[in-house]
Amino acid sequence: MARLLHLLANLFPIWVLLAGAAAFFQPAWFTWFTGPWITWGLAVIMLGMGVTLTFDDFRRVAQRPVLVAIGFVAQFVIMPLLGWGLARVFQLDTALAVGLILVACCPGGTASNVVTYLARADVALSVLMTMCSTFGAVLLTPLLTSLLAGAYVPVDFWGLFFNTLQVVVAPVVAGVLLNHFAPRLVNAVNPVAPLVSVIVIALICGSIIGRNTTALREAALALFAAVSLLHVGGFGLGYAFAAAFRCPGPARRTISIEVGMQNSGLGAVLAQQNFATLALAPLPAAISATMHSVIGSLLAVWWRRKAARATAQPPANR
C-alpha cells in the first residue's frame, strides 16, 4: 500500500494537468472548493512539509551554507525579475501581471523535492533550500511583490506579510513540532501525506481555472506563454547561476529545480486574499502549478536518463 501511495503521489503532474483540463470543461466539479477551503488546503500542504523536517535539518544549513546561499539568492533574484519582465513583454492585463509577479516572488514548492529525487540530484540540498526559501518568503515575498507589482496596483506590504506568516510559518512550525514530539503519529500519516498534498494542489488549481474559464479563453495564449517562459527561464537560469559559481553537477540540477518550481498554491492563496478586487490575479498561479510540474518532470526524466547512460558507460581504456 505504501508503495502504491508513493507511486500515485509521484504522478502529481498528471493529476494537476487532468484537474486543470477537467475544470476548464466542467467547472462545477471544482468551483465548490473555494474561499476557506483553499486557505485550509494550503495549510494542510504546509503542515505536510513541516512534518518532514527535523531540528537537525535546521542545523544542516550551517554545514552547507554556500550552496544553500547560492540557491536562495537565485530563487529570490531570478524569478521575481523574470516574472516582472515577462509581464511587461506580454503586456498582461493588470490582474494577470500582478498574479504572475506574485507567484514569481513565492518560494520553491514542496514538489521540487520529488522532482529532485527523480532527477538524481541532491535531495538533501533540495529539502534545505525549500525550507530556507519558505521561511525567507515571509519577508521577501511581500517585499518583492510590493516593489515589482506596485507599479500596477497599490500593494499592502503588511497585509501580505502577516498573511504569509499565517499560511506558511504557523503550519510548518506546527509540523516540525509534531515530528519532534509525536513521531509515532507522524510516521502513521507520512505515507498518505504526499498524496493528500497532491490532491489539494489539484483541487486549488481546478477551482481557480473553473471560476475563470472565460478569461482563460481570452488570454490563454499570452498567459500560457508568459507562465511557460517564467518556468523554462527559471530552470535554465537557475542552472546557469549555479554553474557560474562552479557548483557540482547534482547541486546545479537541484538549484535549477528549486528555482524553476514555485509554491504556486501559496501564490494562489495570497492573490485571492490580498488582491480581492483583481479576480484574475490567482489565475497565473493555477497555470503555474501545472506548467512547472510538467516541465520539471520532463526535465527530471531527461536528467535521470542522462545520468543512467553516464553510469552505464564503461571506463575509458588507458
Side-chain angles (χ1 to χ4, degrees), residues 42-59:
L42 179 66
V44 169
I45 294 172
M46 301 312 296
L47 181 67
M49 174 187 170
V51 298
T52 66
L53 300 175
T54 67
F55 291 118
D56 285 338
D57 290 323
F58 293 88
R59 284 190 282 267

Side-chain angles (χ1 to χ4, degrees), residues 83 86-97 100 152 219 222-223 226 284:
L86 289 169
R88 294 277 184 173
V89 168
F90 285 94
Q91 299 181 338
L92 296 178
D93 172 83
T94 296
L96 298 179
L100 183 69
Y152 291 92
L223 181 58

Side-chain angles (χ1 to χ4, degrees), residues 185-237:
L185 174 63
V186 169
N187 289 335
V189 301
N190 260 344
V192 73
L195 182 58
V196 170
S197 296
V198 169
I199 292 171
V200 172
I201 291 173
L203 287 172
I204 291 174
C205 295
S207 173
I208 294 169
I209 291 173
R211 284 183 282 116
N212 296 285
T213 53
T214 301
L216 187 56
R217 289 189 184 95
E218 294 174 354
L221 183 59
L223 181 58
F224 273 91
V227 174
S228 298
L229 287 175
L230 174 68
H231 292 295
V232 169
F235 285 114
L237 293 174

Side-chain angles (χ1 to χ4, degrees), residues 11-213:
L11 294 175
F12 70 93
I14 295 176
W15 306 135
V16 174
L17 190 61
L18 288 175
F24 186 80
F25 295 104
Q26 295 292 337
W29 290 1
F30 294 89
T31 49
W32 61 270
F33 193 83
T34 187
W37 283 104
I38 292 181
T39 304
W40 283 107
L42 179 66
V44 169
I45 294 172
M46 301 312 296
L47 181 67
M49 174 187 170
V51 298
T52 66
L53 300 175
T54 67
F55 291 118
D56 285 338
D57 290 323
F58 293 88
R59 284 190 282 267
R60 289 190 189 102
V61 175
Q63 299 171 3
R64 312 184 74 178
V66 175
L67 289 178
V68 173
I70 291 171
F72 187 90
V73 171
Q75 175 75 55
F76 288 110
V77 172
I78 291 173
M79 293 302 278
L81 291 178
L82 197 55
W84 175 81
L86 289 169
R88 294 277 184 173
V89 168
F90 285 94
Q91 299 181 338
L92 296 178
D93 172 83
T94 296
L96 298 179
V98 170
L100 183 69
I101 292 170
L102 177 56
V103 76
C105 294
C106 284
T110 54
S112 62
N113 305 147
V114 177
V115 172
T116 300
Y117 168 76
L118 296 176
R120 292 188 175 180
D122 191 332
V123 177
L125 177 61
S126 176
V127 172
L128 291 177
M129 282 186 57
T130 302
M131 180 184 72
C132 291
S133 67
T134 297
F135 282 101
V138 176
L139 175 63
L140 291 176
T141 295
L143 177 62
L144 292 169
T145 302
S146 62
L147 288 174
L148 298 175
Y152 291 92
V153 293
V155 178
D156 181 3
F157 169 83
W158 290 109
L160 263 175
F161 173 80
F162 287 114
N163 197 207
T164 309
L165 193 67
Q166 290 171 347
V167 299
V168 172
V169 174
V172 170
V173 170
V176 174
L177 293 175
L178 273 175
N179 195 7
H180 184 73
F181 292 106
R184 290 185 180 179
L185 174 63
V186 169
N187 289 335
V189 301
N190 260 344
V192 73
L195 182 58
V196 170
S197 296
V198 169
I199 292 171
V200 172
I201 291 173
L203 287 172
I204 291 174
C205 295
S207 173
I208 294 169
I209 291 173
R211 284 183 282 116
N212 296 285
T213 53

